[in-house]
């Protein structure tokens, strides 16, 4: 970040280094990782003063901002711009030169000594003329980790501030942003403004009176188990400062964020269910992940041997719940299972489920018996289901409707609703099955 000398105050050796030691604890030697999601802040504008709230993410969705508590009227703000260039690891911070569009996400003063909003990673510590009390969280869109294990987040950053008073923290949410947890406080080192006066080569502590721009470093943080195998992981950055007029630049800037995984979770077929309607069997199941699965094969047993009756190719848009309908089921007891075929050639099988059908699958039907003073409909072959019975005129006007649940043997119609000598359409519709419709001409004794 550029230095605006009166904006923040160096505390020399008295500066508290926050939780910087967390970095050494959370950076174990990880296995080779595969990138799942990435952000380099190239999805939108990058001119000075571009607000980070609602900034379009590189993959999908937008970054969002949540203000926590009451903000000061001069609160620092999140920006995405080239005013703090994404310099890369082991580089000193600078403003991107003309023609280099390498924006970073950073927290900055909204004006004051830097002239206009967005000073790069330089903040106003307040405490004098201004009230810059700030607590603002910048949040990623949902990141889908379904099917993946050992999730971690990587990025390049600079950051300092004032210990626990002014600081940036890495946060995450495993439920789409309802609850947030702090993973680490982010502090880096700085570069020397006057080479030869800093007691050694870069990087140097940001508490050094001759320190200037931030010194970019890389971070790699493993996320907890709750981040695995979910559709709505979010990562974010929380900046807070307390308006006491004490603090040191850089505030915070971040670029080249990736979320990675170490391995693909072993898919599991779960909760296979089979439910029969009047003339079909509906199969439903769930899988723990679809990565590496080429297709599901739905199988039915006949003479102690399973045979394929259909296939489904999964997509990420469909989620993890699947269904298939067997429209030609066997009568009697029938056993089903689902096989998941993987790219590796491995085949995973669900548990087996059994469905009991009547020995003869019958469709609902009805007979109309009319006399001079009554019209009676007698039903046959009703299965356990919900039904709707309707009567329409020849021109489509509904003159009668009744809903009932299973095995109602008959319905009496009011003769005043019908006219003898005319034709009507009578329709019986089960909730799970095809409707039965008859054209009936009403005559006494018909």
């Amino acid at each position: 970040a550029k230095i605006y000398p009166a904006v923040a105050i160096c505390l020399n050796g008295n500066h508290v280094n926050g939780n910087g030691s967390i970095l050494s604890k959370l950076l174990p030697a990880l296995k080779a990782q595969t990138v799942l999601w990435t952000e380099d802040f190239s999805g939108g504008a990058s001119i000075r003063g571009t607000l980070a709230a609602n900034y379009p993410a590189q993959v999908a969705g937008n970054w969002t901002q949540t203000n926590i508590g009451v903000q000061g009227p001069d609160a620092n703000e999140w920006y995405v711009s080239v005013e703090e260039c994404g310099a890369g690891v082991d580089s000193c911070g600078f403003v991107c030169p003309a023609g280099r569009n390498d924006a970073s996400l950073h927290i900055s003063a909204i004006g004051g000594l830097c002239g206009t909003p967005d000073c790069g990673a330089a903040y106003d510590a307040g405490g004098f003329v201004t009230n810059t009390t700030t607590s603002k969280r910048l949040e990623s869109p949902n990141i889908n980790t379904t099917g993946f294990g050992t999730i971690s987040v990587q990025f390049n950053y600079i950051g300092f501030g004032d210990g626990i008073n002014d600081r940036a923290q890495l946060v995450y949410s495993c439920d789409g942003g309802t609850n947030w947890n702090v993973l680490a406080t982010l502090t880096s080192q700085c570069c020397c403004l006057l080479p030869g006066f800093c007691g050694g080569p870069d990087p140097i502590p940001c508490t050094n009176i001759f320190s200037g721009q931030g010194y970019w470093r890389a971070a790699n943080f493993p996320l907890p188990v709750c981040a695995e195998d979910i559709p709505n992981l979010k990562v974010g950055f929380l900046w807070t400062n307390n308006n006491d007029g004490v603090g040191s630049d850089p505030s915070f800037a971040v670029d080249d964020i990736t979320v990675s995984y170490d391995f693909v979770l072993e898919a599991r077929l779960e909760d296979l269910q089979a439910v029969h309607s009047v003339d079909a069997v509906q199969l439903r199941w769930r899988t723990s992940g679809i990565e590496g699965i080429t297709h599901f094969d739905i199988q039915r047993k006949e003479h102690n041997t399973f045979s394929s009756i259909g296939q489904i190719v999964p997509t990420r848009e469909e989620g993890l719940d699947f269904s298939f309908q067997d429209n030609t089921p066997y009568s009697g007891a029938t056993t089903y299972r689902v096989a998941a075929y993987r790219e590796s050639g491995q085949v995973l099988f669900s548990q087996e489920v059994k469905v009991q059908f009547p020995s003869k699958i019958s469709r609902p039907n009805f007979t109309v018996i009319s006399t001079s003073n009554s019209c009676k409909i007698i039903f046959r072959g009703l299965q356990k289901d919900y039904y709707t019975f309707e009567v329409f005129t020849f021109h489509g006007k509904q003159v009668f409707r009744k809903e009932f649940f299973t095995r109602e043997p008959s319905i009496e119609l009011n003769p005043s609703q019908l006219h003898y000598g005319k034709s009507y359409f009578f329709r019986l519709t089960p909730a799970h099955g095809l409707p039965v419709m008859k054209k009936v001409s009403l005559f006494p004794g018909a």
Side-chain angles (χ1 to χ4, degrees):
K2 301 178 297 303
I3 296 299
Y4 300 94
V7 173
I9 299 175
C10 289
L11 298 183
N12 297 320
N14 296 322
H15 192 288
V16 179
N17 193 24
N19 290 330
S21 61
I22 290 179
L23 286 174
S24 61
K25 299 176 183 178
L26 294 180
L27 291 178
L30 297 178
K31 296 179 291 184
Q33 297 164 318
T34 302
V35 173
L36 180 64
W37 181 89
T38 185
E39 176 64 85
D40 64 3
F41 300 104
S42 62
S46 59
I47 61 173
R48 184 178 191 177
T50 301
L51 293 173
N54 299 316
Y55 189 85
Q58 182 175 341
V59 177
N62 295 329
W63 287 81
T64 55
Q65 179 172 302
T66 298
N67 294 343
I68 302 170
V70 178
Q71 311 298 306
D74 306 300
N76 295 287
E77 189 59 88
W78 285 106
Y79 296 98
V80 174
S81 77
V82 294
E83 200 66 11
E84 187 66 58
C85 204
V89 178
D90 297 330
S91 299
C92 296
F94 59 89
V95 179
C96 281
R100 178 170 175 174
N101 187 22
D102 191 0
S104 72
L105 168 67
H106 49 268
I107 194 79
S108 180
I110 63 172
L113 294 176
C114 70
T116 59
D118 189 2
C119 313
Y123 77 112
D124 187 344
F128 302 107
V129 178
T130 59
N131 178 357
T132 66
T133 301
T134 308
S135 183
K136 298 180 178 181
R137 184 175 60 231
L138 221 284
E139 307 161 3
S140 75
N142 284 336
I143 302 168
N144 190 350
T145 67
T146 302
F148 301 108
T150 307
I151 309 299
S152 57
V153 57
Q154 302 81 32
F155 50 86
N156 300 332
Y157 78 101
I158 53 176
F160 201 65
D162 178 30
I164 63 172
N165 297 319
D166 304 348
R167 60 181 176 177
Q169 293 176 299
L170 172 63
V171 295
Y172 68 93
S173 171
C174 292
D175 55 13
T178 301
N179 297 286
W180 288 87
N181 300 285
V182 174
L183 189 60
T185 295
L186 302 169
T187 58
S188 66
Q189 293 179 290
C190 286
C191 296
C192 184
L193 284 176
L194 298 174
F197 287 83
C198 298
D202 292 335
I204 63 171
C206 293
T207 52
N208 189 305
I209 193 171
F210 296 112
S211 67
Q213 321 293 75
Y215 189 83
W216 283 82
R217 67 176 299 179
N220 187 339
F221 292 93
L223 289 164
V225 174
C226 72
E228 298 180 358
D229 201 25
I230 60 173
N232 55 350
L233 170 68
K234 285 177 178 282
V235 296
F237 302 94
L238 172 64
W239 172 263
T240 56
N241 63 264
N242 67 351
N243 191 50
D244 64 358
V246 178
S248 296
D249 287 333
S251 51
F252 178 72
V254 63
D255 193 21
D256 298 325
I257 307 169
T258 58
V259 173
S260 303
Y261 65 92
D262 278 2
F263 61 90
V264 176
L265 292 173
E266 183 72 17
R268 300 181 303 277
L269 295 175
E270 304 168 343
D271 302 325
L272 178 62
Q273 300 176 8
V275 179
H276 76 79
S277 59
V278 175
D279 52 6
V281 171
Q282 185 78 18
L283 298 168
R284 303 185 186 93
W285 68 95
R286 180 177 177 81
T287 179
S288 61
I290 62 172
E291 296 303 321
I293 294 180
T294 60
H295 66 280
F296 296 110
D297 189 60
I298 297 84
Q299 301 175 354
R300 183 176 62 192
K301 182 181 283 188
E302 182 180 12
H303 305 306
N304 295 320
T305 301
F306 280 101
S307 301
S308 175
I309 58 172
Q311 296 183 346
I312 292 177
V313 177
T315 65
R316 292 186 69 84
E317 291 73 20
E318 291 175 314
L320 301 177
D321 295 292
F322 298 89
S323 63
F324 179 87
Q325 183 163 297
D326 180 7
N327 292 315
T328 58
Y330 297 141
S331 61
T334 305
T335 301
Y336 295 88
R337 73 180 182 186
V338 175
Y341 284 78
R342 298 179 61 87
E343 294 172 347
S344 62
Q346 179 189 21
V347 182
L348 306 174
F349 292 99
S350 71
Q351 80 274 23
E352 299 178 6
V353 295
K354 184 177 292 186
V355 177
Q356 182 68 42
F357 256 92
S359 58
K360 180 180 180 181
I361 301 174
S362 60
R363 294 181 182 276
N365 208 337
F366 59 89
T367 300
V368 180
I369 300 176
S370 63
T371 65
S372 58
N373 59 1
S374 70
C375 182
K376 187 174 185 180
I377 294 88
I378 300 175
F379 299 108
R380 304 190 309 274
L382 298 188
Q383 304 295 321
K384 189 176 182 181
D385 203 354
Y386 288 92
Y387 293 87
T388 302
F389 183 77
E390 301 162 289
V391 180
F392 300 89
T393 66
F394 188 76
H395 299 289
K397 179 182 178 181
Q398 187 184 78
V399 296
F400 180 83
R401 175 186 173 91
K402 182 174 183 180
E403 297 180 359
F404 59 94
F405 178 75
T406 198
R407 302 190 186 286
E408 185 158 339
S410 63
I411 289 177
E412 293 276 354
L413 299 183
N414 188 335
S416 65
Q417 297 174 295
L418 307 173
H419 297 280
Y420 287 104
K422 291 189 176 182
S423 296
Y424 293 86
F425 290 102
F426 288 54
R427 183 171 68 187
L428 176 64
T429 306
H432 302 88
L434 299 175
V436 177
M437 180 177 286
K438 293 184 178 183
K439 179 181 177 182
V440 178
S441 299
L442 295 182
F443 297 99

